[in-house]
Amino acid sequence: MKKTRRTFLGLLPLSLGTAGLLTRCTDEPAAATPPPVKKPVVISTWQHGQAANAAAWEVLNRGGNALDAVEAGVRVTEADPKVRTVGRGAYPDRNGIITLDASIMGPSGDCGSVAAVEGILHPISLARIVMERTPHVMIVGQGAQDLAVAEGMEVTDLSTEKSKQDYEKWKVENPGYLPPINVENHDTIGLLALDENGDLAGACTTSGAAYKFHGRVGDSPIIGAGLYVDNAVGAATATGWGEAVIRACGCFLVVEFMRQGHPPEDACRLACERVIEKNPDWRDIQVGFIALDKYGRTGAYCIQPGFDYALQDQDTPNTMHKPPSRI
Ligand code: GLY
């Protein structure tokens, strides 16, 4: 077969993409002159990200590393019963059980995750245990709870009066038990950090879709879907309808677009376009990505308006920002 320039470029190994060579012909990134590095940086999803950023920033500020910072940050959200989509007090599944998903990834490329775990207040720390103390990447359900107990974690009832009342109300109002497609009911906390050393890490934790099928696992604990970190390039995390993110391998894709030379917002927009391509129902769902590159540049993009993220760096106090959206 005669090779055109396009097919030739398509055959180049991915590593050459760091030089900006491997690009989608329709979305060429700007020519790459490395920007100055800005560090440290923390960025996280939704309003609850502000409190998470504050905890992560404190770790970085006293010289801590990005991995410790992202874990410390999202633990705040996990413990806050007012955040109804993460940890304590979260919306349960349609059987009335709170099941949690979480993942963590550090600069070495190592990663850990747990899914459908019950009764563990800090699934993010359990995900870190999977990464650091087992030969595995992902442990789910009872096995994850057993590991937590073996590691000294307590099994506790994560429901609150409010989460129980809401569930009873939901059962009456939804006798068909159809899972809702709602643009705003999966407010995952995803947090990315770049530390003084120039290392990247990310954490992502959620109770998933409200009133989901028992056993349903979303994108958040799936490395490459809800979270991805490549210390040579950048990091990304996702929020929204997890099934749609999984179909597009969303966060891996964001990082790959950054590897090709796209700045973070552009990389998030291109990944959203891929989500749209793969999900014919895209107008009825929310998906949002945030990204942080090796240079400390940040960006975000989402399908529906309404998503916001919290950002803190040397020049920016811990404030909320609205990304552009497709609709
Ligand atoms: N993005 C979180 C979930 O769908 O479970």
Side-chain angles (χ1 to χ4, degrees), residues 246-322:
I246 292 169
R247 286 184 194 109
C249 214
C251 288
F252 180 74
L253 193 56
V254 173
V255 172
E256 289 310 296
F257 281 129
M258 290 194 286
R259 190 192 306 280
Q260 292 170 16
H262 293 278
E265 182 185 303
D266 208 29
C268 292
R269 178 182 61 79
L270 291 169
C272 267
E273 290 301 331
R274 184 70 61 82
V275 169
I276 286 167
E277 259 172 63
K278 300 285 174 202
N279 291 276
D281 63 344
W282 66 273
R283 286 184 182 278
D284 301 322
I285 57 172
Q286 173 67 299
V287 167
F289 294 106
I290 61 171
L292 166 62
D293 74 8
K294 194 67 190 158
Y295 306 108
R297 298 180 302 178
T298 55
Y301 194 87
C302 53
I303 295 180
Q304 315 272 348
F307 170 53
D308 53 4
Y309 64 92
L311 170 66
Q312 182 163 11
D313 61 31
Q314 288 162 335
D315 311 323
T316 320
N318 189 4
T319 42
M320 297 308 299
H321 300 262
K322 281 200 181 310

Side-chain angles (χ1 to χ4, degrees), residues 101 186-188 204 206-209 212 216-221 226 238-243 245:
D101 298 341
H186 326 78
D187 304 354
T188 316
C204 185
T206 186
S207 54
K212 61 196 176 184
R216 178 266 190 189
V217 171
D219 59 315
S220 303
T239 186
W241 187 243
E243 284 73 0
V245 178

Side-chain angles (χ1 to χ4, degrees), residues 38-43 52-73 191-202 292 312-314:
K38 187 194 281 193
K39 57 190 182 185
V41 181
V42 292
I43 181 171
N53 276 5
W57 189 262
E58 204 182 302
V59 173
L60 296 178
N61 214 24
R62 57 177 144 83
N65 65 43
L67 189 61
D68 289 341
V70 296
E71 181 187 5
L191 195 155
L192 310 171
L194 177 69
D195 64 25
E196 278 293 352
N197 205 32
D199 285 329
L200 288 160
L292 166 62
Q312 182 163 11
D313 61 31
Q314 288 162 335

